[in-house]
Amino acid sequence: MARRHKIRIKSPKEVDKMRIAGGVASQILQQLAKAVEPGKTTGEIDQLAAELMRENECKSAFLGYRGFPGQTCISVNEEVVHGIGGERRIQPGDILKIDVGIVKNGFIGDNATTIPVGEIPIETKRLLKATEESLYAAIDQARAGLRLAELCGAVEAHVKPLGFTVVREFVGHGVGRELHEEPQVPNYRPQGKTPILEPGMILAIEPMVNLGTGRVRILDDGWTVITEDRLPSAHFEHTVLITDGEPELMTYRPKEATAEILGI
């Protein structure tokens, strides 16, 4: 894990700019989620994201990052993360993961959600519910004075007893002027001594949780990550500020995978 001096502490002015970027990223993600419907292609959702970014005078943090070709990451069903929008048509019963990262005034806003398309199987509903719950369990540990390991371990501690698995190869991260800053934020308790959280640290916390095996592989496009057993995967993410008190969701939006919303 990263040493303390490598983790960037944001100044009050930087925090204010991160709030703006996070708010815009959340707004765009919510608009994209409302636009998801059977028959649309993932490419059309990605194109809408580009239009919304232009309207909000920001740009994609993902497009061109290490050669990534999309405005957003759009991953369907067994696709975990880093899916590329294209000609695939959204079908009833799919789950669609949309990850929006934007750059506004030099700072990043990064968040993701998983959207059920029409009626989905009960076990997939439970997966979505557990994954979002694990995100908020981790956020509850995003407090000054606690070690990063407490935050990371909260994800697996929540989903494992429910029969789900976390993806270990891909993790959350610090975020600010750069999309990926120190520290790495895995969804399991890392070994060894981890940093103590301090006010001004900003983390992108993003559980990636699978219905079946936690093992994954990358498709031939070099980006799209899928579950090895082709069972569904869910992904939720918030950008979170460590404060002197309660954690602050810089990408705030209402919860989306509660039992009431999912009908379970």
Side-chain angles (χ1 to χ4, degrees), residues 24-33 49 52-53 56 58 100 102:
V24 171
S26 175
Q27 178 183 335
I28 291 173
L29 180 60
Q30 291 178 73
Q31 289 178 274
L32 294 177
L52 292 171
M53 288 176 196
N56 285 277
C58 62
V100 171
I102 61 100

Side-chain angles (χ1 to χ4, degrees), residues 191-210:
Q191 295 182 346
K193 193 174 182 179
T194 58
I196 295 174
L197 301 177
E198 299 180 32
M201 292 180 176
I202 299 180
L203 307 175
I205 305 172
E206 50 179 322
M208 290 156 268
V209 180
N210 296 350

